[in-house]
């Protein structure tokens, strides 16, 4: 009986570090799923706002057409306004965007451009601001992909050396 007590005590102590990383892993997973949908969400909001200049309806339109992670966040923005947590949709959206400032600055900037398009008097300037928000998120994503590809260059070179050049050199040197 003492064996089981000691065994489970040691197993529990070994599981503590692994279980402490589970919330961080789940948050990163959730964040990655949401970041995959950010370009689509900006596109949906811009598409809606091009014909109707209403931020609340644009967020609702985006939440209806997106999948789980980001659509739930957008519905939370709307719920905060409906439940009275925030008095305006801008306040609720700004509090939500505070979470993303650290992780995806382009999404935050594009969202702010969409918000600021509401205050443009001329129709052509409003549409230009909406187009600028799409450009910001697309260029930001392109830059992030370039940085990712450049950071992969060293591991790919190493794999190339180990998998292609080293066997060829072995075949040349062996005979």
């Amino acid at each position: 009986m003492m064996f089981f007590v000691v065994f489970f005590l040691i197993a529990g102590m070994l599981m503590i570090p692994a279980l402490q990383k589970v919330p961080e892993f789940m948050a990163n997973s959730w964040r990655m799923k949401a970041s995959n949908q950010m370009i689509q969400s900006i596109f949906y909001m811009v598409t809606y706002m091009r014909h109707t200049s209403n931020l609340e309806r644009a967020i609702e339109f985006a939440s209806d057409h997106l999948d789980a992670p980001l659509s739930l966040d957008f519905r939370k923005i709307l719920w905060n306004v409906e439940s009275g947590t925030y008095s305006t949709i801008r306040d609720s959206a700004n509090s939500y965007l505070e979470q993303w400032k650290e992780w995806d600055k382009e999404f935050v900037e594009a969202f702010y451009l969409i918000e600021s398009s509401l205050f443009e008097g001329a129709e052509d300037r409003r549409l230009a601001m909406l187009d600028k928000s799409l450009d910001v998120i697309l260029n930001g994503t392109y830059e992030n992909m370039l940085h990712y590809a450049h950071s992969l260059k060293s591991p790919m070179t190493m794999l190339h050396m180990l998998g292609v050049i080293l066997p060829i050199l072995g075949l040349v040197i062996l005979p």
Side-chain angles (χ1 to χ4, degrees):
M1 199 61 171
M2 189 64 166
F3 171 76
F4 289 116
V5 171
V6 171
F7 174 75
F8 285 117
L9 241 155
I10 292 173
M13 294 297 275
L14 292 175
M15 291 295 290
I16 287 175
L19 291 176
Q20 285 178 338
K21 294 194 184 281
V22 169
E24 182 181 338
F25 175 75
M26 290 175 62
N28 283 335
S29 172
W30 186 265
R31 199 175 301 117
M32 287 302 200
K33 287 178 186 177
S35 67
N36 285 338
Q37 299 174 338
M38 286 183 178
I39 295 174
Q40 279 183 323
S41 68
I42 295 295
F43 175 72
Y44 286 144
M45 287 192 292
V46 167
T47 302
Y48 191 87
M49 298 244 335
R50 284 184 77 74
H51 70 82
T52 305
S53 184
N54 187 342
L55 183 63
E56 186 172 353
R57 296 288 180 181
I59 292 173
E60 183 179 359
F61 179 77
S63 71
D64 289 342
H65 290 88
L66 290 172
D67 290 334
L70 209 53
S71 70
L72 293 175
D73 290 346
F74 283 172
R75 288 184 181 145
K76 175 75 168 136
I77 292 172
L78 295 171
W79 176 252
N80 285 340
V81 175
E82 291 175 9
S83 66
T85 306
Y86 295 100
S87 59
T88 64
I89 191 78
R90 290 189 69 224
D91 294 338
S92 180
N94 289 340
S95 104
Y96 168 70
L97 291 175
E98 288 295 321
Q99 300 171 27
W100 284 103
K101 274 189 178 178
E102 181 182 339
W103 302 102
D104 198 351
K105 292 175 180 72
E106 292 83 15
F107 174 69
V108 173
E109 186 177 345
F111 205 97
Y112 283 147
L113 284 170
I114 290 172
E115 280 183 3
S116 64
S117 73
L118 294 169
F119 302 110
E120 289 295 329
E123 183 70 17
D124 57 339
R125 290 188 66 198
R126 185 180 73 82
L127 294 176
M129 185 103 36
L130 291 172
D131 291 339
K132 174 103 171 118
S133 70
L134 277 175
D135 287 340
V136 164
I137 191 128
L138 289 174
N139 288 335
T141 303
Y142 179 73
E143 291 293 323
N144 288 340
M145 287 190 321
L146 278 179
H147 291 299
Y148 181 73
H150 285 281
S151 68
L152 283 179
K153 186 175 182 180
S154 297
M156 291 303 290
T157 304
M158 184 63 71
L159 286 175
H160 182 261
M161 291 296 283
L162 289 174
V164 176
I165 294 178
L166 198 60
I168 291 173
L169 283 175
L171 288 175
V172 169
I173 293 174
L174 266 166

